[in-house]
Amino acid sequence: MPNRIMTDEMRDDKTPDEVIVRAQPRQPVTDPTLGISVSVDREGTPQHRLVTIGDSLTHGFQSGSIFNTNLSYPAIIAWEMDWDEKFRHPLPYSGWGGLPFNIEALIRRLEQQFGDKLDWWELAGAVFSVHQYMADVEEWWERGPGSRIPNQKGINHNLAVYGWDLRDTLSRNADICRQLLEEPKDNLFRQIVENANERAALYVLDSARDTQGKALTPLEAAAELGKDGTHETGTGDGIETLIIFLGANNALGSVIQLKVAWSQDGYDDLDRKQQFTVWNPIHFKKELDEVVAQVKKMKARHVILATVPHVTIIPLARGVGEKVAPGSRYFPHYTRPWISDRDFNPKDHPCITELEARAVDSAIDQYNEAITEAVRGARKDGLDWYLFDVAGIMDRLAYRRYIDDPLARPEWWTPYELPAELQALSPVPNSRFFTSEMVAGEAVRTNGGLFSLDGIHPTTIGYGILAQEFINIMQQAGVKFYLGDGRTQRNGPVRVDFNRLIALDTLISDPPRSLSNQLDLIAWLDQRLKIFSRLLRRGA
């Protein structure tokens, strides 16, 4: 059994006093209603069946890029509702694999040029090819067709923007993003699209304006949609289901930068907050309270709040070394997945310690308790709010933390049962870093499958899992799903069409051949050209 006694040795001396460091993880919530019944007014048909607010996980980010927004989990839900043609989302970020940089697209380009193996005498050519590719990407988005924001009619239903945290969602709008766009500059040594986040945000929010043309934040835009009311009367709830999935970027910087910098004064300032990588739970709750206050005023029939996943279990942060105590959840250090235990040196390699990882996870547990209490308070007030405990789902999928170490499993832990279509894949997808190789002349996935090549964001089938869990809650709320004719209601549990998603998921249906190994190639790109660290410095 794991060690469940908290000791002083488990606390890093830089951790704020407000963080309650725990010896064991928070137990997930399995009842989205928290056991509180609510009477729901279902009069009329809301004009907007689904509206979502969030960050990269809702925007649809994959492999370092926001590209195909048709495969985000909100778009998957809309497909299963037979509302996909009416579901407004940012247009696909077409051209050179999206923003800011598509790792999968680059890998496939190198494979076309150099085949399955990159020999030493080809390194110079590969470096030149990468630089040329990056220059083309930069040119497209900064000065070419990608620099022109599409003219989209109507406020989007998917109002998520990658990289945004609670304060961004409370304060940023299209006009602020446009002001931050600088005159692009050519930089031979830093060929990453400048202001990529602001450019991506404009695709989402440029059409989010009130009747006077005032730019709206995502929360204000959702409120504006709610004012549209029902089809029958134009009054009442304009939104049927509103999903709020925020907070990951209030802690994710700790593993992206492998640096734990706790929030202090200035956490609520758009500029000053950039220096922090993880929020003090007190600061997080203050920001959350502002979000909740705005959501409570919206005309939304059902609201789902999602918890924050534990960021230390994503494959971008790999635990190295032997665990000090049998049954511990934590390794002595966490570093990049391509650095082996044998090669790792904490003095030479970026890393966070076991104590820092435990403190970050403990802070996230407090975030999630605050989110849970927000739902509890809303339901006690008669609002039909639900909790989706994403953190619990991710913990049940955590390979090295729990699946690979039975002694570390808390008493409540059970493995997550993947849909039958995913269990039929070989190997069965897991939460390890994605790798593939050539076997008998065929490209084969050898590990991973739930996370894309940036080690942070889901693959398409991974987004399908999120969609399925949201759908389960929506059905519990009484939301109706329809067949392709838009009239015939689907009876019984609605199941996501995972065969469709498998076919659309290029990493699953057509894995890269790899230049010997995906992990080696990504490590080479990061070590030689610093692509990875530059790409993800801003956030998810």
Side-chain angles (χ1 to χ4, degrees):
M1 297 295 292
N3 177 16
R4 302 186 184 281
I5 301 175
M6 182 64 197
T7 64
D8 290 340
E9 290 76 16
M10 291 183 182
R11 187 179 188 90
D12 180 78
D13 58 7
K14 296 180 182 179
T15 301
D17 293 339
E18 293 83 359
V19 178
I20 303 172
V21 180
R22 311 174 188 218
Q24 56 183 312
R26 160 187 168 274
Q27 183 168 348
V29 174
T30 56
D31 178 5
T33 71
L34 304 178
I36 303 170
S37 60
V38 172
S39 178
V40 182
D41 180 7
R42 302 183 186 276
E43 185 175 349
T45 307
Q47 295 198 40
H48 309 287
R49 298 206 60 204
L50 177 65
V51 175
T52 57
I53 296 175
D55 50 37
S56 57
L57 293 172
T58 304
H59 200 177
F61 208 83
Q62 286 184 329
S63 295
S65 173
I66 181 63
F67 177 50
N68 194 344
T69 51
N70 292 318
L71 297 179
S72 65
Y73 79 76
I76 296 171
I77 295 173
W79 174 278
E80 298 297 340
M81 297 173 72
D82 191 34
W83 201 63
D84 53 298
E85 293 186 359
K86 296 181 180 179
F87 181 70
R88 294 194 295 267
H89 55 83
L91 298 174
Y93 296 76
S94 57
W96 296 96
L99 281 166
F101 194 85
N102 192 316
I103 299 171
E104 180 184 352
L106 173 60
I107 286 176
R108 293 188 186 276
R109 172 189 173 98
L110 292 175
E111 288 178 350
Q112 289 178 354
Q113 294 178 330
F114 301 100
D116 304 334
K117 182 180 179 182
L118 186 64
D119 294 309
W120 67 265
W121 60 82
E122 296 175 310
L123 287 177
V127 170
F128 176 82
S129 178
V130 170
H131 276 303
Q132 183 59 53
Y133 183 80
M134 295 174 71
D136 290 338
V137 172
E138 188 179 23
E139 178 67 23
W140 174 273
W141 290 107
E142 292 183 359
R143 287 167 288 273
S147 64
R148 296 186 285 275
I149 307 302
N151 183 16
Q152 189 162 337
K153 293 182 179 180
I155 296 173
N156 278 314
H157 294 116
N158 187 349
L159 293 164
V161 181
Y162 88 81
W164 283 23
D165 57 22
L166 293 172
R167 175 49 50 188
D168 294 312
T169 307
L170 284 161
S171 301
R172 291 193 191 275
N173 58 38
D175 288 351
I176 291 175
C177 292
R178 186 170 277 104
Q179 290 171 6
L180 293 173
L181 288 178
E182 303 171 355
E183 184 67 27
K185 309 175 185 66
D186 283 319
N187 189 325
L188 181 61
F189 300 102
R190 194 183 184 279
Q191 293 174 302
I192 293 290
V193 178
E194 294 181 28
N195 302 107
N197 180 263
E198 286 76 21
R199 297 176 194 278
L202 286 171
Y203 272 63
V204 179
L205 294 175
D206 199 41
S207 63
R209 300 179 183 275
D210 63 14
T211 54
Q212 283 73 46
K214 176 182 175 290
L216 304 175
T217 68
L219 290 162
E220 292 170 340
E224 197 72 13
L225 291 172
K227 294 177 185 177
D228 289 342
T230 64
H231 285 289
E232 291 82 358
T233 65
T235 61
D237 295 325
I239 298 173
E240 184 174 23
T241 302
L242 172 65
I243 292 174
I244 309 290
F245 189 2
L246 284 165
N249 286 309
N250 291 90
L252 189 57
S254 59
V255 294
I256 289 177
Q257 298 184 36
L258 289 174
K259 180 180 73 173
V260 176
W262 292 96
S263 64
Q264 301 177 27
D265 290 344
Y267 70 90
D268 53 354
D269 182 272
L270 289 176
D271 294 322
R272 294 173 63 191
K273 72 181 180 66
Q274 298 300 324
Q275 63 188 300
F276 309 128
T277 64
V278 56
W279 262 236
N280 184 309
I282 302 300
H283 298 156
F284 182 92
K285 186 177 185 305
K286 288 181 178 179
E287 302 276 73
L288 176 67
D289 288 345
E290 289 191 45
V291 171
V292 169
Q294 291 195 35
V295 176
K296 281 186 173 182
K297 297 177 183 178
M298 296 181 191
K299 295 291 186 179
R301 182 168 293 175
H302 316 289
V303 175
I304 303 174
L305 263 62
T307 60
V308 179
H310 291 116
V311 298
T312 59
I313 66 174
I314 61 176
L316 180 65
R318 192 182 82 87
V320 293
E322 293 291 331
K323 293 182 177 180
V324 175
S328 172
R329 286 177 285 153
Y330 298 100
F331 292 88
H333 293 91
Y334 289 81
T335 188
R336 295 295 179 234
W338 48 81
I339 300 174
S340 67
D341 286 34
R342 181 187 62 188
D343 295 334
F344 174 72
N345 186 327
K347 296 180 180 180
D348 298 331
H349 295 116
C351 65
I352 61 174
T353 68
E354 171 183 358
L355 299 185
E356 290 175 318
R358 185 186 296 275
V360 171
D361 278 350
S362 296
I364 291 173
D365 283 342
Q366 289 176 257
Y367 299 173
N368 291 337
E369 287 172 349
I371 294 170
T372 302
E373 289 309 305
V375 174
R376 191 186 310 278
R379 292 193 69 84
K380 286 182 176 179
D381 291 340
L383 299 174
D384 198 38
W385 286 28
Y386 297 82
L387 183 75
F388 173 20
D389 207 331
V390 180
I393 298 296
M394 294 303 300
D395 283 352
R396 293 172 62 199
L397 287 166
Y399 193 90
R400 297 192 73 208
R401 179 164 294 185
Y402 295 132
I403 296 176
D404 204 31
D405 187 356
L407 290 177
R409 299 171 185 171
E411 294 177 356
W412 52 259
W413 188 90
T414 58
Y416 184 84
E417 185 175 354
L418 293 174
E421 299 93 329
L422 302 188
Q423 293 187 42
L425 297 175
S426 181
V428 176
N430 61 47
S431 62
R432 300 293 298 271
F433 203 95
F434 186 97
T435 58
S436 63
E437 61 184 28
M438 294 296 289
V439 177
E442 181 180 359
V444 175
R445 175 178 55 88
T446 54
N447 214 338
L450 297 181
F451 284 89
S452 62
L453 297 184
D454 59 29
I456 301 172
H457 301 93
T459 53
T460 298
I461 62 171
Y463 279 124
I465 292 173
L466 283 176
Q468 182 65 74
E469 294 295 334
F470 276 114
I471 287 172
N472 294 345
I473 296 174
M474 291 169 68
Q475 284 203 282
Q476 186 173 348
V479 174
K480 296 179 181 179
F481 288 72
Y482 295 91
L483 297 175
D485 59 10
R487 298 183 303 274
T488 306
Q489 185 176 341
R490 297 172 68 171
N491 297 318
V494 172
R495 301 302 182 197
V496 168
D497 185 352
F498 276 94
N499 285 325
R500 179 179 82 94
L501 299 186
I502 289 170
L504 293 171
D505 193 329
T506 55
L507 288 176
I508 302 300
S509 62
D510 182 25
R513 293 174 292 166
S514 176
L515 303 183
S516 75
N517 185 290
Q518 233 87 27
L519 212 55
D520 291 342
L521 176 57
I522 294 174
W524 177 80
L525 292 171
D526 189 48
Q527 292 165 1
R528 296 297 183 95
L529 303 173
K530 305 300 180 186
I531 290 176
F532 209 89
S533 56
R534 290 171 181 169
L535 176 65
L536 298 174
R537 187 171 299 279
R538 167 130 190 161

